Amino acid sequence: IKPDPSGKGVESPSRALRGLKKLDVNFSTPQAGLCLGISLKSVHLPDKNPQHRYHHNRKRNDEELRVEAAGYHQRQPYSVLAAVVVLPFEACDDADSRPSSFGMWVQYLWPLARRSDPHDDVDRFEHVFVALYDEKNSKLAFFDVTEPPPKKGRPKKTLTLEGFVECVAATYEARNSLDF
């Protein structure tokens, strides 16, 4: 399991369609290959425009996530992948006539989620979350992009780090359970 509890061994390699790729969080075994992977992307600073919204790199992050999912799922279709895009809580508070940056990210990422079967589209993830953080008090909340976001303001239904881990682990267990 990478990274280890001390934080060492980040971005460990795992076989994908075109050779080795690195995943931010990786659980794999020599016998099974990639079992569970989590890909992290982040936007920490607002755009350099008058609105100071958190929109930059959406297209690039979307494309990178799709390539990662396809590369892993084509080679290892039973692996469970989760994507997490990290944004500051301020991204929830910049709505005007348009939804907040947070809401627009959720809308943009929604098509990447809901891969429920090993035979589903390979360029999708089993789960996609937006992780919201506040660096002043270390608050962290995970929002599932399959839920409708508020047009403005912070979401009411979020998961803690422990809840996020439980959700992803439950998906892994369901996919790999040998129960009849």
Side-chain angles (χ1 to χ4, degrees):
I1 298 175
K2 301 283 183 163
D4 68 19
S6 70
K8 293 182 180 174
V10 295
E11 289 191 325
S12 60
S14 180
R15 290 219 179 267
L17 182 64
R18 297 187 186 265
L20 290 175
K21 287 186 61 56
K22 291 185 178 181
L23 265 173
D24 297 300
V25 179
N26 173 347
F27 165 62
S28 56
T29 68
Q31 297 83 9
L34 177 65
C35 299
L36 174 69
I38 300 173
S39 182
L40 303 170
K41 306 293 179 198
S42 62
V43 176
H44 300 287
L45 301 172
D47 300 343
K48 294 178 181 175
N49 62 29
Q51 291 91 17
H52 299 292
R53 294 173 67 89
Y54 293 84
H55 289 185
H56 58 284
N57 295 331
R58 272 194 319 210
K59 184 173 187 282
R60 179 184 58 83
N61 284 323
D62 173 65
E63 290 170 353
E64 286 180 13
L65 289 169
R66 287 179 188 277
V67 167
E68 286 179 26
Y72 287 117
H73 281 141
Q74 283 178 339
R75 181 172 170 88
Q76 302 178 86
Y78 286 85
S79 63
V80 171
L81 297 176
V84 179
V85 174
V86 181
L87 298 171
F89 273 109
E90 288 82 19
C92 300
D93 303 327
D94 62 4
D96 46 29
S97 61
R98 303 166 293 172
S100 67
S101 296
F102 161 74
M104 293 183 80
W105 270 101
V106 170
Q107 180 182 13
Y108 202 81
L109 295 169
W110 179 81
L112 285 176
R114 299 173 327 279
R115 184 175 192 267
S116 59
D117 185 90
H119 306 292
D120 286 347
D121 292 340
V122 295
D123 68 342
R124 291 180 23 208
F125 286 77
E126 281 70 15
H127 291 287
V128 179
F129 291 89
V130 173
L132 298 164
Y133 73 94
D134 184 341
E135 64 184 41
K136 294 176 189 145
N137 62 18
S138 301
K139 184 174 180 181
L140 182 65
F142 291 82
F143 183 83
D144 184 335
V145 304
T146 62
E147 297 289 331
K151 183 175 179 178
K152 65 180 185 175
R154 297 178 181 194
K156 294 187 181 7
K157 184 178 178 183
T158 60
L159 297 173
T160 62
L161 176 60
E162 293 79 13
F164 162 75
V165 170
E166 288 174 12
C167 176
V168 174
T171 301
Y172 168 77
E173 289 297 329
R175 171 77 48 86
N176 293 283
S177 174
L178 297 177
D179 292 342
F180 179 71

